[in-house]
Amino acid sequence: MATPKKTMRALQYDKYGGGAGLKHVEVPVPSPKKGEVLLKLEAASINPIDWKIQKGMVRPFLPRKFPFIPVGDMSGEVVELGSGVTNLKPGDKVISISFPNGGGLAEYAVAPASLTVARPPEVSAAEGASLPTAASTALQQLKAAGVSSFDGSGGGSNGPRNVLVTAASGGVGHYAVQLAKLAGLHVTATCGARNLGLVRGLGADEALDYKTPEGARLRSPSGRKYDAVMHCATGTPWSVFAPVLAGEATVVDVTPGIAAAARSFLQKVTLAKQRLVPLLLVPRKGEMEWLADMTRQGKLRTVVDSRYPLSRAQEAWAKSIGGHATGKIVVEMGGEE
């Protein structure tokens, strides 16, 4: 079991701004409060929401105060329990999400025990840290579209049959492809040309280069209309979706803007059969446990785009801001400097 130090290395920012604002600091190791655990971190994964908060895209709500140590998805070892925590013990290897409090770009972090789950020995620290936001979002996307079963039976009696996954080689998208196939659905996916083979290897029945005319129009090569769209890309107007949707269809958007929210509201009040559904992740412990178990069984694969030691976490941050990562970007606390 690891023994916490008094101080730790971390990266933090002290104001809104671009990606250059992360600074290496030595700060006190935090103490877990009631319902929290202190983790000695092994890995953390960066999600777009992390740097969007830094850019001020959800100001004045987040971060709650400066300076701020970002990143909420993490894996590590429990070293100390806050009061009231009875389901974990020091020495446990775990996966956790600490959002919106963050803290993941550091050697130690506190996390809510209610969103901390066991990491099976078969699941690496990098894989574990990649799951909480991206895989949970993909799972909740499919559930929002009506998928109720992931046992290969077709997603449930009233669920979709033909689905489209956009940005299918990204953090959320590459999980969405696999989860849709676990549900027994026909999957069409869009991605960049260099990742077509990867996406097919994850299970996609059809893969489209989004830069080609057919890919830009989201047209299924087999002429299928989509019952559901797992929309993981940005900037696609409804006019592009409408011609490729079935009579009753749901587009679940994980990056909704104001226009998407307005359209969703209008469709709801007019009882439209083709609907846009904005999705905001609500982390759930049970889902995280299930995703970890699917990973343990080899049924869910994490594609890691790149790994960085904590000393080079600024490069990982910049890589995420630059876009076009294939899968997940991971910072490893014990990685090679």
Side-chain angles (χ1 to χ4, degrees), residues 116-169:
T116 298
V117 304
R119 173 167 66 85
E122 299 87 351
V123 178
S124 72
E127 289 171 329
S130 296
L131 293 173
T133 293
S136 295
T137 297
L139 181 59
Q140 291 185 17
Q141 264 189 309
L142 285 154
K143 288 182 176 180
V147 177
S148 59
S149 171
F150 294 87
D151 60 4
S153 61
S157 57
N158 297 314
R161 293 290 179 268
N162 297 307
V163 302
L164 169 69
V165 179
T166 63
S169 59

Side-chain angles (χ1 to χ4, degrees), residues 233-246:
T234 56
T236 306
W238 182 258
S239 58
V240 175
F241 290 121
V244 296
L245 297 178

